[in-house]
Amino acid sequence: MASMATASTSLQARPRQMATAVRCFSQGSRNNLSFTLRQLPTRLSVSCAAKPETVDKVCEVVKKQLSLKAGDEVTAATKFAALGADSLDTVEIVMGLEEAFDIEMAEDKAQNIATVEEAAELIEEILKEKA
Amino acid sequence: MRTSVMSQMQRSFSIDLPSLIPLQLPSRRETHLWYILPDEVKSTSLLKRYSQFLSPIEKDRVDQMRGDELKKNALLARTLVRTTIARYQTNKAVDPGSLMFKKNMYGKPEVDWQNCKNYNVQPLHFNISHTDSLIACGVTVHAPVGIDVEDKERKIKHDVLAFAKRFYTTDEVNFLATILDPEAQRKEFIKLWTLKEAYVKALGKGFSAAPFNTFTIQSKPGTEGGYSLCKTSEVTANPLEKTEECNGRWKFDLLELAGSHYAAVCTEDDQADEGAPMRVIVRKTIPFVEDQLISERIFL
């Protein structure tokens, strides 16, 4: 089998493109591996830079902490204060997020989180530094 | 019904309100604590009238609150601040809707006195706090004030000691750990929370200026509701040593409101004289309707 090691070094120079390895089966016993470089679709400019999975997980923690009903909508843009959260709730939400993501948040950053989106972005920043 | 509460309110102003009864300013060593119980304000026409005092930004914020109860409480909070401050302007009757607010460089709300024309302003300090069932506003003249209220029965979703270990100081954790009954422990935790919040709010420099684990608040022996503040410094050469600077500059009072809430009041004593008492005058109010003197307390 052809090694992919040599191909991978050239990929790093072009982070916005994704390499797809296509194995071509030809007749006989020989296999060809060829690489095509494919442009990734232009990222939509949305205000939330965090991944949807992170946002969803944050929403779950918030709903649980504030004992929201199933029908209450919580999205990336939702402000904690609009849901009736006070400072004690915010700190409990932070504790819940620390447990859910296995991270620790600096207290001053944590106290300043006002929306789901801000929480998700801060969490991803911390996870990236941890990695 | 999904119609915006605010647009309903704006459609009819059917009632006329009496003038606001002016108030005498707090004296130098006094804090005035005002509170509203939202459940006692039921008149929709009165609420409609209150909404007229709000600025467009405040109306937007009220509208953003989810559900009628949160909207009503947000409206009452702004009404309490505006009407209370307006009443202390004793030189001339002031329209509560004419007051303008701004934030200090750390985000603490203040009255924007420079933009208030036509009347002699009394430079007040104020601070508000609210829970689902009580909204409070503290007012002082000579020193900044911070207040925080919490429902006594408020349940903490996390383990109280785990919460304290994460956010409070070691001394405070040790104090809480000595309380064996979980209910009593939870109550002391809440009291500490309100006291610590009140201090940070009185400082007015945001949470970064005073992270909760950098200062200890403990009760003063021989007082009822008296507390003092001790700052813990960074651990120095000897990890077992911890320098604490306890100063009498910051005064605290912890009291109960309406039998249902803890309220912490924190203000700065510029005379730095630990013995001189300070007073809290507590009044319940429904703006334009009635005031009720609840108590006058001395705190040390």
Side-chain angles (χ1 to χ4, degrees):
Chain A
M1 300 300 150
S3 153
M4 294 179 59
T6 47
S8 61
T9 44
S10 67
L11 293 176
Q12 271 148 25
R14 301 194 221 187
R16 300 293 300 164
Q17 292 169 315
M18 194 168 82
T20 329
V22 177
R23 176 172 286 168
C24 307
F25 288 99
S26 55
Q27 271 188 317
S29 56
R30 278 187 57 199
N31 294 325
N32 288 327
L33 273 172
S34 68
F35 292 96
T36 54
L37 286 171
R38 182 161 71 83
Q39 284 294 124
L40 281 172
T42 315
R43 210 173 155 161
L44 286 171
S45 57
V46 287
S47 48
C48 182
K51 300 192 205 92
E53 312 89 74
T54 314
V55 169
D56 283 343
K57 209 162 157 183
V58 172
C59 290
E60 284 314 304
V61 170
V62 169
K63 281 185 190 169
K64 197 168 141 201
Q65 174 58 38
L66 301 179
S67 303
L68 300 178
K69 288 156 257 177
D72 286 328
E73 192 192 277
V74 181
T75 64
T78 303
K79 290 187 192 162
F80 298 155
L83 298 170
D86 63 9
S87 54
L88 187 46
D89 285 309
T90 303
V91 172
E92 286 226 82
I93 287 171
V94 166
M95 281 186 80
L97 292 174
E98 289 182 332
E99 284 157 15
F101 290 92
D102 190 28
I103 52 172
E104 203 172 281
M105 288 185 174
E107 191 186 317
D108 56 344
K109 287 209 175 119
Q111 292 270 23
N112 285 325
I113 296 173
T115 66
V116 168
E117 193 172 302
E118 284 171 19
E121 286 172 357
L122 180 57
I123 287 165
E124 289 198 346
E125 207 182 286
I126 296 170
L127 286 172
K128 220 191 297 177
E129 280 169 30
K130 213 178 149 189
Chain B
M1 245 211 327
R2 294 291 196 155
T3 339
S4 149
V5 175
M6 288 312 305
S7 63
Q8 280 182 320
M9 287 179 180
Q10 275 149 14
R11 251 174 248 137
S12 59
F13 306 124
S14 43
I15 60 167
D16 259 322
L17 293 173
S19 324
L20 281 174
I21 298 173
L23 295 168
Q24 216 173 17
L25 288 166
S27 71
R28 191 181 187 89
R29 303 179 71 70
E30 239 172 44
T31 299
H32 289 179
L33 185 62
W34 294 88
Y35 70 91
I36 292 180
L37 297 176
D39 284 347
E40 291 186 352
V41 185
K42 295 195 227 280
S43 157
T44 42
S45 49
L46 184 60
L47 289 169
K48 279 177 201 170
R49 192 62 185 80
Y50 288 164
S51 68
Q52 280 186 282
F53 299 126
L54 268 51
S55 69
I57 294 179
E58 287 170 341
K59 284 180 184 154
D60 266 342
R61 290 215 188 102
V62 169
D63 248 343
Q64 282 175 24
M65 302 300 289
R66 300 280 189 92
D68 288 341
E69 199 188 303
L70 288 180
K71 286 177 164 61
K72 177 182 169 187
N73 290 1
L75 169 61
L76 288 175
R78 295 318 300 164
T79 305
L80 180 61
V81 172
R82 285 179 170 276
T83 54
T84 306
I85 291 173
R87 294 172 69 180
Y88 285 110
Q89 310 313 314
T90 46
N91 296 320
K92 196 175 150 163
V94 165
D95 174 12
S98 69
L99 292 169
M100 297 184 65
F101 295 88
K102 60 176 184 174
K103 292 194 173 164
N104 77 3
M105 62 189 264
Y106 304 98
K108 182 176 181 181
E110 308 178 328
V111 182
D112 187 354
W113 298 110
Q114 293 196 328
N115 278 318
C116 297
K117 301 165 257 225
N118 300 330
Y119 52 94
N120 284 328
V121 294
Q122 295 290 355
L124 297 177
H125 298 272
F126 75 92
N127 194 233
I128 54 168
S129 174
H130 42 100
T131 65
D132 288 346
S133 44
L134 190 145
I135 299 160
C137 179
V139 177
T140 51
V141 170
H142 285 86
V145 64
I147 64 163
D148 192 56
V149 294
E150 284 295 344
D151 185 330
K152 277 161 66 175
E153 296 309 311
R154 192 209 176 106
K155 298 294 172 238
I156 306 296
K157 294 222 151 92
H158 291 85
D159 171 63
V160 163
L161 280 183
F163 196 133
K165 281 178 188 155
R166 176 76 182 79
F167 289 102
Y168 289 8
T169 62
T170 313
D171 281 342
E172 288 166 340
V173 173
N174 292 341
F175 162 69
L176 289 171
T178 61
I179 304 167
L180 300 174
D181 172 50
E183 250 306 281
Q185 192 188 68
R186 184 192 59 80
K187 286 198 155 105
E188 291 305 315
F189 173 87
I190 305 260
K191 286 181 188 174
L192 266 180
W193 177 271
T194 60
L195 286 159
K196 292 168 86 75
E197 273 284 296
Y199 170 60
V200 172
K201 292 172 83 181
L203 264 183
K205 293 184 181 154
F207 293 103
S208 329
F212 273 23
N213 60 5
T214 60
F215 62 94
T216 294
I217 297 183
Q218 53 205 22
S219 58
K220 273 193 189 162
T223 66
E224 191 200 299
Y227 289 82
S228 60
L229 173 80
C230 299
K231 287 202 175 83
T232 52
S233 324
E234 296 289 310
V235 174
T236 50
N238 182 352
L240 295 176
E241 264 172 34
K242 165 180 66 162
T243 39
E244 283 194 358
E245 179 203 311
C246 296
N247 62 56
R249 239 177 83 211
W250 293 97
K251 302 294 184 190
F252 295 87
D253 192 23
L254 182 77
L255 26 80
E256 286 192 22
L257 296 178
S260 53
H261 289 73
Y262 292 128
V265 176
C266 176
T267 181
E268 197 174 0
D269 181 0
D270 56 5
Q271 290 169 6
D273 177 351
E274 282 204 44
M278 301 188 78
R279 294 203 305 159
V280 180
I281 297 177
V282 184
R283 281 172 281 198
K284 186 172 74 161
T285 185
I286 298 176
F288 291 99
V289 177
E290 64 178 26
D291 295 336
Q292 188 186 341
L293 175 67
I294 302 291
S295 67
E296 282 190 39
R297 295 163 56 92
I298 295 194
F299 64 108
L300 302 167

